[in-house]
Amino acid sequence: MAGQNNNAPVGVFDSGLGGLTVAREIMRQLPSENIVYFGDTARVPYGSKSKDTIVYFSRQIVEFLKTKQVKAIVVACNTASALALEEIKDEVDLPMIGVVKPGAAAAAATTKTGRVGVIGTRATVESGIYTEVLKEIDPSISVIGKACPLFVPMVEEGMTEHPVMMEMIDYYLRFLKKSDVDSLVLGCTHYPLLRSQIADYLGSRITLVNPAYETARGLKKLLEENNLLNRQKEQAAANLYVSDLPERFKAFANSILPIDIDRVKTVNVEQY
Ligand code: DGL
């Protein structure tokens, strides 16, 4: 990969807006890296779709990102990382990283009891990928997975503080509270936005693991290994694209990213 343009952007994609939590972490840890973000707002959610569909969508997005001359790709979506990354990474002549392996590594480093909880979309949890990767790291770790499909629409609707949200957290996580897990992977892009509510509910005995943080660290390592780190000192740029509803996306992006977003462009990703 030597000789590539170090100033080229990093491509980041998600099924929608949740992946901005990963983009935010990349901006914090790698402030010199330019970012091209794609959120598939027309086709979200991925978490209730089949593997074939998720692979098909992910391939189209990668093709789109390649037209933006990205130097590496971050699959910020847990569902796409779980179901599509392994399928497509050998087809793509670019370094790629997802959120599952970094998240699992962080959980393995965090747990003391060897009992880890994982929450995510139905597709992610049913794929069993977190269990697989955690057991590769340490076969003695046991994993309890729980799909929490209603968390995503609640976050999308901006209802994180609503009393219904607290009821939903109780509904999905009550059994975890009673279990002996000591760390919980927030295995979905949207869940870090519920971090304080989940932490308040579960109490200090259970440590929450946000894969976004480890993914940004993993990206740094990947760029270093490929001699692709951006050495420029000026403020990096972020270009955001979606497949639908750019204005709504822009408002959300401005509420969570550390830089101002003036414009979000719409792209017909079906053409790629
Ligand atoms: N981005 C997805 C994930 O991290 C959540 C939203 C969806 O279901 O598409 O799994």
Side-chain angles (χ1 to χ4, degrees):
M1 304 275 171
Q4 290 196 21
N5 183 2
N6 293 54
N7 295 344
V10 173
V12 180
F13 81 86
D14 179 42
S15 55
L17 51 76
L20 290 172
T21 57
V22 178
R24 173 175 64 181
E25 202 51 53
I26 295 170
M27 288 175 185
R28 278 186 189 144
Q29 293 187 37
L30 296 165
S32 300
E33 295 300 334
N34 298 306
I35 290 178
V36 172
Y37 182 97
F38 177 80
D40 201 357
T41 46
R43 304 189 293 196
V44 68
Y46 285 11
S48 53
K49 296 192 170 67
S50 69
K51 175 173 174 144
D52 283 355
T53 300
I54 296 159
V55 170
Y56 175 72
F57 288 171
S58 301
R59 273 202 184 104
Q60 285 182 326
I61 297 167
V62 166
E63 287 309 312
F64 163 69
L65 290 174
K66 279 162 65 182
T67 68
K68 300 293 165 197
Q69 276 78 45
V70 297
K71 63 182 176 185
I73 293 179
V74 179
V75 186
C77 178
N78 274 265
T79 306
S81 296
L83 290 129
L85 179 58
E86 287 304 312
E87 293 280 324
I88 60 177
K89 77 172 197 294
D90 292 338
E91 303 165 5
V92 184
D93 185 26
L94 289 170
M96 280 183 88
I97 182 172
V99 288
V100 169
K101 285 189 177 169
T110 304
T111 183
K112 294 192 173 56
T113 61
R115 301 274 287 156
V116 173
V118 175
I119 53 174
T121 64
R122 194 165 275 141
T124 298
V125 171
E126 286 178 3
S127 76
I129 183 116
Y130 273 101
T131 310
E132 203 180 291
V133 177
L134 275 159
K135 283 204 172 288
E136 266 168 31
I137 299 170
D138 180 350
S140 72
I141 291 179
S142 61
V143 180
I144 305 181
K146 176 80 178 172
C148 307
L150 292 175
F151 284 177
V152 167
M154 289 294 286
V155 171
E156 296 265 338
E157 288 302 320
M159 292 173 72
T160 55
E161 309 284 343
H162 196 279
V164 171
M165 188 73 241
M166 294 320 292
E167 279 183 37
M168 230 176 252
I169 289 174
D170 179 50
Y171 172 74
Y172 284 129
L173 304 186
R174 193 179 314 151
F175 83 103
L176 267 180
K177 204 171 178 169
K178 293 190 199 130
S179 75
D180 55 356
V181 307
D182 70 344
S183 51
L184 176 67
V185 181
L186 303 176
C188 170
T189 47
H190 290 58
Y191 300 176
L193 299 165
L194 295 171
R195 189 186 184 109
S196 59
Q197 290 86 337
I198 294 174
D200 286 350
Y201 177 77
L202 291 176
S204 57
R205 191 180 59 77
I206 301 181
T207 305
L208 302 185
V209 175
N210 177 4
Y213 181 80
E214 281 306 315
T215 302
R217 278 180 46 146
L219 173 65
K220 181 165 187 239
K221 195 160 164 264
L222 189 68
L223 295 177
E224 273 165 1
E225 282 166 5
N226 288 279
N227 198 18
L228 282 171
L229 268 183
N230 195 338
R231 308 276 174 200
Q232 70 175 7
K233 290 280 174 275
E234 63 258 34
Q235 172 74 53
N239 282 299
L240 273 51
Y241 296 84
V242 290
S243 44
D244 202 6
L245 297 173
E247 287 306 314
R248 189 164 170 258
F249 195 87
K250 189 176 108 178
F252 185 78
N254 278 317
S255 75
I256 77 156
L257 293 181
I259 59 171
D260 282 340
I261 301 297
D262 298 333
R263 190 165 166 227
V264 175
K265 291 170 218 146
T266 307
V267 58
N268 175 12
V269 74
E270 303 267 359
Q271 74 193 29
Y272 291 94

